[in-house]
Amino acid sequence: MRVPLSWLREYVDLPATETGRDVQAKLVSAGLEVETVEHLGADLKGPLVVGQVLTIEELEGFKKPIRFCTVDVGQANGTGEPQEIVCGARNFQVGDKVVVVLPGATLPGGFSISARKTYGRTSHGMICSGDELGMGDDGSHGIIVLPPETEVGKDAIELLELVDEVLDIAVTANRGDCLSIRGVAREAAIAYGLPLRDPALLDVPGPNAFGYPVQVSDPLGCDRFTARTVTGLSPEARSPLWLQRRLQKVGMRPISLAVDVTNYVMMELGQPLHAYDRTLVRGTIGVRRAEEGEQIVTLDGVERKLHAEDLVITDERGPIGLAGVMGGANTEIADHAEGEGTTDVVIEAAHFDAVAIARTARRHKLSSEASRRFERGVDPQAAAAAAQRTVDLLVLLAGGTAEAGVTEVVAPSAPHTISVPADHPDKVAGVSYGRETVVRRLQEVGCDVYGQDELIVTVPSWRPDLQEINDLAEEVIRLEGYENLPSTLPRPPAGRGLTHRQRLHRRAGRALAGAGYVEAPNYPFVSEQVFDQLGLEADDPARRVVRLTNPLNDEEPALRTSLLPGLLGALRRNDGRGSHDLALFETGLVFLPRSEQRAAAVLPVDRRPTDAEIAELDAALPEQPRHVAVVLAGAREQAGWWGKGRPADWADAVEAGRLVAREAGAELVVRGGQYGPWHPGRCAEFVVVVDGAETVVGHAGELHPRVVKAFGLPARTSAMELDLDVLEAVGDDTPQAPAISTFPVATQDVALVVDKFVPHADVETALREGAGELLEGIRLFDVYENEEQLGDGKKSLAYALRFRAGDRTLTVDEASAARDAAVALAGERTGAVLRG
């Protein structure tokens, strides 16, 4: 919200010495976020005066039309003689009053003006446009043409209010009242301890039977609708300069008198209004929900298909406006400045449901100044005053006549009251304010307060955000000054540190970081199309997602069931920006919908929720296991004088899974697998034993070429994903001291020939069990395939077996016997035979 300081001073008698920076500091202290203070005309220096065009000579022989003009500037040039000026604009004619900058002046941006020869003539100054003066576009796209009654020679800096300060305020979603000069003026008055001249305090005639007919069919969507009629507007009337300038300063473009007046009143009072051309409205104005499939062409010229939840304004033909968002083109006000403008208007000032307007604006991707205010909260009591203010301005500026009829449809409602202990703000802030201070501050924001120890507070109509006692406490605290709150560090109870789950999460992250991975947290939102890119089957459980009711991005409306989409997107972005050797990891929650959907319980805020209440809330939430995932591409080891280096491959992804399992103290079985995004021949399946049954907890390996292409990834990209919570459940991360034996180790190597389809993990398991207690370690050190030597469909697996006894030195016979037993069991289970 842009707030000109000159406009603010109309409603609050700020000290004359107060600058925009001073007001900014006061408002920031009161809780408003004033982002910048813009100094309009700070580098503007005159003479800048009003002139009247006397003659225009068209200069020929140039690439673009050029005019040589003489302009009467009165005594501003010191001689009284006409000023000779070369100008390329064509939107003015002889007799027009224009803005002239004379030699010696400086325009915004440090542009100095002097007499100079151009196009064969000497130009003594410039005829100015709005952009050249820093005013913005006034809709003419050319020279400023002033009203005929403007005095020649008058100082244009003062006339056009070119010097001012504008506060740019970032209004939060709960402070819709501050999307108006009235609301900001109230805050400024409180901050300075000055009275407020409320522009909404007007004499408003009561409703009668002669007003324009209105029928509200949805009182929940529209609880107040005021209609007023003004006739006999002058077709030649246009917005005066002061009104145009105020609209420009708040960031709006002047359009036509009737539209400018409604915009002006909206910015002044915060109440959006709409003016209809009365001759184009057919019959009774209605408010209802749209019928599915109805259509309307809005003022921006777009034909929109309406939804059944859209609130619309209608006449006997159907919709003529999207309520609270934008009017329809079929009742648009014609431009008065064109001489054929609207002469009779119906003014609408209504109050609409905030949620309905917000959903309509988002559904149609149509945010307007009106919808921004309605969805943040508009004062319903200001509708009649805003309509009256609009009527008064139209009568004053366009010579219209206000009809006696006043329509006001109001749904009965009671003011919102809150019971709050007088010392509640003290308890919240940890500061003793006292009852008198609490009552005074609440009254300053417009509340009616009664009672002694227990206060009964009636909330003002312009503050719909004040809903419960903590909202009132916040008002007292912010007005007393957040900077006055004492800084007290919290004192956590001794003996409570991180949970076991949190410690494992951190250890896994540190281990991966130590292995060369970089953490890359991602948003937990995905599109459902990403599962097609990952190559998941149609019935894959990962396709069942939790959809968001109000997503941040319509293209990503669901919560993730895997960490891979976010990590692969991060890898693609970094690769596209020149970082080709990448190893990224993330630990985070995934979201799995429950089979039974429950409504979430609303927890109390005045006490700690009970364990049963928390459990009920948890039961309504989706399951949220914590996963860990890595992605790799490019070089895993860089080449240099020390060697050739090597690229990242599927084995690195598998090792990342083993690394995490070691941190969790879980025994991880790695075997060949096949799942979704991984290459079927280079995919490892991670298995743990849970309650005696094998459970798949993740996969690792090289991604399928189709997935690599779909995501735009580097060739041979590898990835791993594990369920960290399951590893925690089965793991034992109790620190184990290393066992150091005083007896030597006996090493035996075996090479076994098995069918190609036999997993190495099955062979290793059989060898471990067959070798017995003497086996200290086993390592696969070679895989060999040769049809001529081994036979068709065969492979050789070579293992190094380490044997050791804790109480003696093993003999060769003992080690050989253990080896033979291991080979025998492997042969029995997998068909393995000793090679050669």
Side-chain angles (χ1 to χ4, degrees):
M1 176 68 191
R2 291 171 56 84
V3 180
L5 192 59
S6 59
W7 198 351
L8 192 64
R9 289 182 182 276
E10 284 198 4
Y11 309 125
V12 184
D13 290 326
L14 299 174
T17 56
E18 289 292 283
T19 66
R21 294 292 183 190
D22 299 328
V23 178
Q24 177 189 28
K26 285 283 190 179
L27 294 179
V28 168
S29 178
L32 292 185
E33 185 180 350
V34 184
E35 293 187 325
T36 60
V37 178
E38 184 179 351
H39 297 270
L40 302 182
D43 51 356
L44 176 64
K45 187 180 78 170
L48 188 73
V49 299
V50 176
Q52 184 172 20
V53 180
L54 301 178
T55 64
I56 298 177
E57 178 186 350
E58 301 289 345
L59 302 182
E60 304 294 339
F62 300 101
K63 292 183 179 179
K64 61 179 183 179
I66 298 296
R67 312 166 98 186
F68 180 69
C69 311
T70 59
V71 185
D72 178 13
V73 295
Q75 297 299 318
N77 58 3
T79 65
E81 296 294 324
Q83 200 79 2
E84 296 179 339
I85 298 173
V86 175
C87 183
R90 310 192 65 78
N91 68 313
F92 64 96
Q93 56 190 357
V94 173
D96 282 346
K97 303 288 181 67
V98 294
V99 177
V100 178
V101 57
L102 300 176
T106 303
L107 294 182
F111 182 57
S112 299
I113 302 300
S114 61
R116 64 189 184 96
K117 191 170 184 179
T118 179
Y119 296 103
R121 303 293 179 95
T122 300
S123 181
H124 299 272
M126 285 175 53
I127 301 176
C128 296
S129 67
D131 285 335
E132 290 165 340
L133 298 179
M135 296 169 54
D137 181 24
D138 61 358
S140 66
H141 304 289
I143 294 303
I144 300 172
V145 178
L146 301 172
E149 64 273 12
T150 309
E151 178 185 350
V152 172
K154 183 177 179 63
D155 183 1
I157 296 178
E158 179 183 352
L159 175 70
L160 299 176
E161 301 178 13
L162 297 178
V163 178
D164 201 350
E165 292 181 279
V166 179
L167 309 177
D168 194 350
I169 303 176
V171 179
T172 55
N174 65 318
R175 291 304 304 272
D177 59 305
C178 288
L179 286 174
S180 66
I181 304 297
R182 178 197 185 200
V184 177
R186 182 179 290 107
E187 292 296 314
I190 296 172
Y192 280 94
L194 297 171
L196 169 71
R197 289 188 291 274
D198 191 343
L201 295 180
L202 301 175
D203 291 330
V204 180
N208 53 51
F210 309 108
Y212 197 93
V214 173
Q215 180 178 0
V216 177
S217 303
D218 189 342
L220 294 179
C222 176
D223 58 8
R224 185 178 295 266
F225 194 107
T226 299
R228 300 289 298 274
T229 305
V230 179
T231 60
L233 300 177
S234 171
E236 291 79 20
R238 69 177 194 173
S239 301
L241 285 175
W242 64 266
L243 187 118
Q244 293 185 46
R245 287 296 295 134
R246 287 195 168 177
L247 289 178
Q248 288 172 333
K249 289 177 184 179
V250 298
M252 303 190 76
R253 182 173 66 86
I255 298 174
S256 65
L257 177 60
V259 175
D260 292 349
V261 167
T262 57
N263 286 337
Y264 177 84
V265 175
M266 175 179 68
M267 303 307 296
E268 182 181 54
L269 302 182
Q271 168 66 52
L273 301 108
H274 190 70
Y276 302 93
D277 188 327
R278 183 176 181 179
T279 62
L280 300 179
V281 179
R282 301 288 183 263
T284 300
I285 292 178
V287 184
R288 61 170 172 82
R289 299 286 174 169
E291 297 176 4
E292 194 68 43
E294 277 189 311
Q295 294 184 341
I296 183 175
V297 179
T298 46
L299 289 173
D300 56 0
V302 177
E303 183 174 341
R304 303 182 185 277
K305 187 175 181 180
L306 300 178
H307 188 275
E309 292 185 3
D310 291 335
L311 201 63
V312 293
I313 311 298
T314 65
D315 64 6
E316 63 184 23
R317 297 167 298 180
I320 60 174
L322 270 176
V325 180
M326 185 173 286
N330 54 356
T331 56
E332 182 179 6
I333 295 289
D335 191 350
H336 286 205
E338 295 177 356
E340 298 178 357
T342 300
T343 58
D344 300 342
V345 298
V346 177
I347 300 162
E348 164 209 312
H351 184 260
F352 300 110
D353 177 60
V355 174
I357 301 306
R359 288 178 175 172
T360 296
R362 284 158 177 74
R363 188 179 298 117
H364 294 282
K365 295 181 175 61
L366 185 62
S367 179
S368 64
E369 292 288 346
S371 68
R372 287 183 62 228
R373 285 162 176 78
F374 277 123
E375 63 190 34
R376 286 166 172 79
V378 169
D379 181 5
Q381 302 293 334
Q388 182 64 45
R389 177 76 164 135
T390 305
V391 168
D392 293 343
L393 287 173
L394 288 176
V395 170
L396 174 67
L397 302 177
T401 301
E403 290 195 351
V406 177
T407 302
E408 192 165 2
V409 180
V410 180
S413 63
H416 181 52
T417 60
I418 303 172
S419 178
V420 54
D423 61 349
H424 182 69
D426 300 8
K427 295 179 179 178
V428 173
V431 176
S432 179
Y433 292 122
R435 178 187 177 279
E436 291 185 1
T437 299
V438 171
V439 171
R440 174 172 58 84
R441 288 304 190 183
L442 292 178
Q443 289 176 338
E444 285 178 346
V445 300
C447 297
D448 291 330
V449 185
Y450 302 95
Q452 293 298 318
D453 294 338
E454 190 75 16
L455 303 178
I456 305 300
V457 180
T458 302
V459 175
S461 59
W462 56 82
R463 290 299 302 274
D465 59 304
L466 302 181
Q467 293 293 321
E468 48 102 13
I469 60 175
N470 288 322
D471 296 330
L472 300 180
E474 183 182 5
E475 290 300 295
V476 175
I477 295 168
R478 75 176 181 89
L479 294 179
E480 283 295 303
Y482 291 119
E483 68 277 9
N484 296 323
L485 294 178
S487 298
T488 305
L489 292 176
R491 296 180 180 179
R496 294 188 180 183
L498 298 176
T499 65
H500 183 271
R501 186 173 188 242
Q502 290 170 329
R503 289 196 298 271
L504 174 59
H505 172 210
R506 294 194 178 189
R507 284 204 314 275
R510 284 195 295 266
L512 289 171
Y517 291 85
V518 176
E519 187 171 14
N522 294 283
Y523 287 118
F525 311 117
V526 296
S527 68
E528 295 183 68
Q529 289 72 29
V530 76
F531 302 121
D532 296 328
Q533 294 176 292
L534 289 174
L536 300 186
E537 298 291 340
D539 59 348
D540 194 300
R543 284 183 175 270
R544 294 184 61 243
V545 296
V546 178
R547 294 182 62 85
L548 300 172
T549 302
N550 188 20
L552 295 179
N553 183 350
D554 291 340
E555 296 180 358
E556 295 179 332
L559 291 173
R560 65 189 178 190
T561 57
S562 167
L563 302 183
L564 289 184
L567 276 177
L568 294 177
L571 186 141
R572 180 185 64 246
R573 286 192 297 273
N574 283 275
D575 181 71
R577 292 169 183 170
S579 298
H580 304 302
D581 303 325
L582 297 163
L584 309 178
F585 84 93
E586 180 179 7
T587 57
L589 301 179
V590 298
F591 304 86
L592 309 176
R594 299 181 186 270
S595 55
E596 179 185 355
Q597 297 294 327
R598 300 184 184 179
V602 178
L603 298 182
V605 296
D606 57 342
R607 58 174 174 82
R608 183 191 183 280
T610 65
D611 293 341
E613 289 172 331
I614 295 175
E616 183 182 358
L617 177 63
D618 288 340
L621 298 175
E623 296 181 20
Q624 301 176 50
R626 185 176 294 279
H627 282 201
V628 57
V630 305
V631 293
L632 305 98
R636 185 66 176 136
E637 295 178 3
Q638 295 290 337
W641 58 264
W642 52 85
K644 295 181 179 179
R646 68 174 183 86
D649 61 16
W650 63 270
D652 294 302
V654 174
E655 180 57 28
R658 287 197 176 104
L659 177 64
V660 173
R662 286 196 293 270
E663 290 296 327
E667 185 176 347
L668 194 67
V669 178
V670 181
R671 63 191 183 195
Q674 185 172 340
Y675 179 69
W678 281 278
H679 192 296
R682 301 187 182 112
C683 175
E685 184 177 77
F686 294 139
V687 177
V688 296
V689 178
V690 181
D691 297 331
E694 290 188 345
T695 301
V696 177
V697 294
H699 296 83
E702 183 179 316
L703 295 180
H704 197 290
R706 286 197 298 269
V707 176
V708 170
K709 181 178 180 181
F711 279 92
L713 304 173
R716 312 301 289 270
T717 297
S718 299
M720 178 278 294
E721 184 165 12
L722 266 174
D723 190 326
L724 200 54
D725 283 355
V726 177
L727 291 183
E728 178 194 6
V730 302
D732 180 9
D733 56 359
T734 303
Q736 300 290 333
I740 302 175
S741 177
T742 59
F743 299 99
V745 65
T747 303
Q748 297 273 358
D749 292 347
V750 294
L752 303 178
V753 178
V754 296
D755 293 330
K756 282 187 176 180
F757 64 83
V758 175
H760 140 68
D762 292 350
V763 178
E764 181 180 318
T765 301
L767 290 173
R768 283 183 182 278
E769 292 183 16
E773 295 181 354
L774 294 179
L775 182 68
E776 182 181 80
I778 183 171
R779 178 174 61 89
L780 174 69
F781 65 85
D782 184 55
V783 179
Y784 177 70
E785 295 180 9
N786 188 308
E787 292 185 2
E788 293 181 1
Q789 296 184 17
L790 303 178
D792 186 23
K794 299 292 184 178
K795 64 182 178 182
S796 171
L797 305 176
Y799 294 90
L801 307 178
R802 293 169 57 90
F803 298 99
R804 195 193 314 255
D807 57 351
R808 68 189 187 281
T809 299
L810 292 178
T811 65
V812 174
D813 292 339
E814 286 178 308
S816 298
R819 180 202 65 188
D820 293 341
V823 172
L825 187 59
E828 179 184 335
R829 290 188 179 179
T830 66
V833 296
L834 281 171
R835 178 180 170 190

